[in-house]
Structure formats: structure tokens, C-alpha cells
Amino acid sequence: MSGEKIGIMGGTFDPVHYGHLFAAEQARVVLSLGMVVFVPSGTPPHKSYPMMASAEDRYAMTELAIRGNDHFAISRAETDRPEASYTADTLEYFRRENPGAELFLITGADAALDIPNWHEPDRILSLCRVAVAARPGYVRDKITELSEAAGDSLIVLDTGLIDVSATEIRELAAGNGSIRYMTPDSVCRYIAEKKLYSCTGA
Ligand code: ATP
Ligand code: MG
């Protein structure tokens, strides 16, 4: 649809949590996005860490988490790919599917600072603008520096911080800690039922 603004929220989502949902919702409102599409990554050829949940489980948890928000959607663009996806290719896919739409890549501060090291960063910035959500532990000065260098293509979202990470959730789940209130109850239940993260996989 021409003129539409679409947010793309990529991630491993292992599992999805309130930090992701909050960043997506803030970006949606601040940038007047018509929708935010969550794009869970596929399974890399070599698992990055032993407890990593399958692409299918990560997709299912993300789908559960966004239920009830009519402005949130989910895409299998990266889920079904056997090889690791490049963000530039994913953005190009959304550009093809939505000609005329304006694309915004929503990231946390850690990911935004890493973009210069990603595959073809210039192509990424030619396809979208990047909306950066603050994240605890990341100095705002650094983001401001990056945004000055990137000019218009980077937008810093001046929102509150949600101090939660998927790593923390996996570690808590592995140690039988409570992950309630870090991610929606539906995701907590999925993790418990499927016994995700409950052993080190060693
Ligand atoms: P992990 O601990 O496994 O790296 P994560 O919590 O960082 O997981 P990812 O799936 O790696 O989650 O992140 C996807 C995107 O969401 C990234 O752009 C990341 O910066 C952003 N993000 C993750 N957690 C937060 C948070 N608490 N606040 C703002 N952005 C976040
Ligand atoms: Mg991360």
C-alpha cells in the first residue's frame, strides 16, 4: 500500500519478551506506523548456544505474544530459511511485497550500534530508516553519536527502558526461576509445556 509506514522488528526472540513488545509499541505510536511486523530469525546452520529453541518454537512464542494487538503481525520471511538471513535481504523482501511503503527497522540500542558491522549496512540504510529503542547498559551518548553520523536514516526513540533480555529469561528458566511478568503468560506457559531451556542441552 502506497504511503503506508511499516515497522520491521527482527530478532531471535528466544524467547520474545516485554522489552521487544514495548519497543515495538512505542515505535508504532511515535512514528505512526500502520503496523509492526515481527520477523523471528530462522535456525542458523550451527546453533549459537546449546539451549537455543527451534525456529518453529520461537515463531510460535512470538505469535502468542502479539495476539490481541491488531497492529502487530508476524512473518515467516526468515523462519523457513535453512541458512542465516541477512537483514538487507529481508528488508528487500518487504520492499518488494509492499511497494510504496516506508519501512522502519526497529532495533534496541545494542543492535543499532552493531549495524555498521552487519552485512551491507549501506544497503540496509537505503531500504529503511532505523528506529532505535534505548536499552539498559547502552550509553545514550554513543547512540547520539551514531545518529549524528547516520543523519536522517536513524531515529532515536525517546522511550522508557525495560530491563529484560532473552538471555536472562533462558537462564532463569534453566535454574527453575520464575520468568512470570518478563514475558506474557501465554509465552511462560509455552516454555513450561515444551520444557524449553530447562536443560543445558549438553
Ligand atoms: P538475547 O539475550 O538472546 O540476545 P535479546 O533480549 O537481546 O536476546 P533479541 O532477539 O536478541 O533479544 O533482540 C531483538 C531486538 O530487540 C534487537 O534489536 C534488540 O536490541 C531488541 N531488544 C531486546 N531486548 C530489548 C529491551 N529490553 N529493550 C529494547 N530493545 C530490546
Ligand atoms: Mg540480543
Side-chain angles (χ1 to χ4, degrees):
M1 233 183 297
S2 177
E4 200 189 0
K5 290 173 153 192
I6 301 175
I8 314 275
M9 179 90 204
T12 318
F13 302 130
D14 191 21
V16 63
H17 54 66
Y18 282 127
H20 302 128
L21 297 166
F22 182 75
E25 177 68 2
Q26 293 302 317
R28 179 182 80 74
V29 172
V30 172
L31 302 171
S32 307
L33 307 178
M35 66 152 87
V36 176
V37 187
F38 285 69
V39 189
S41 65
T43 299
H46 304 287
K47 281 192 174 190
S48 312
Y49 42 87
M51 299 191 276
M52 188 172 191
S54 69
E56 218 48 68
D57 280 334
R58 291 181 288 105
Y59 180 94
M61 290 189 281
T62 308
E63 192 175 41
L64 286 171
I66 64 169
R67 253 183 219 171
N69 187 331
D70 291 343
H71 299 284
F72 284 180
I74 184 164
S75 162
R76 297 189 70 89
E78 295 190 2
T79 308
D80 299 326
R81 302 184 60 158
E83 74 281 14
S85 304
Y86 291 123
T87 299
D89 293 338
T90 301
L91 286 165
E92 202 142 273
Y93 164 80
F94 279 101
R95 151 86 46 256
R96 267 199 312 276
E97 295 289 303
N98 305 276
E102 203 180 336
L103 303 182
F104 293 81
L105 182 68
I106 305 166
T107 70
D110 56 322
L113 289 173
D114 198 37
I115 289 178
N117 306 318
W118 291 5
H119 182 68
E120 298 185 291
D122 292 343
R123 187 153 73 97
I124 293 177
L125 295 179
S126 74
L127 288 161
C128 70
R129 293 170 77 193
V130 180
V132 187
R135 206 173 169 182
Y138 291 87
V139 196
R140 192 164 283 255
D141 287 1
K142 283 232 168 140
I143 302 285
T144 311
E145 222 172 85
L146 184 71
S147 89
E148 276 161 11
D152 262 6
S153 48
L154 201 137
I155 304 154
V156 180
L157 300 169
D158 194 13
T159 63
L161 302 178
I162 301 272
D163 193 359
V164 56
S165 72
T167 302
E168 195 185 349
I169 294 180
R170 292 193 300 274
E171 287 173 359
L172 275 170
N176 280 321
S178 175
I179 60 169
R180 202 165 177 200
Y181 308 122
M182 299 174 94
T183 184
D185 284 348
S186 52
V187 176
C188 294
R189 276 195 299 274
Y190 189 96
I191 291 170
E193 275 159 24
K194 290 258 186 163
K195 297 190 170 60
L196 301 182
Y197 321 124
S198 59
C199 73
T200 59

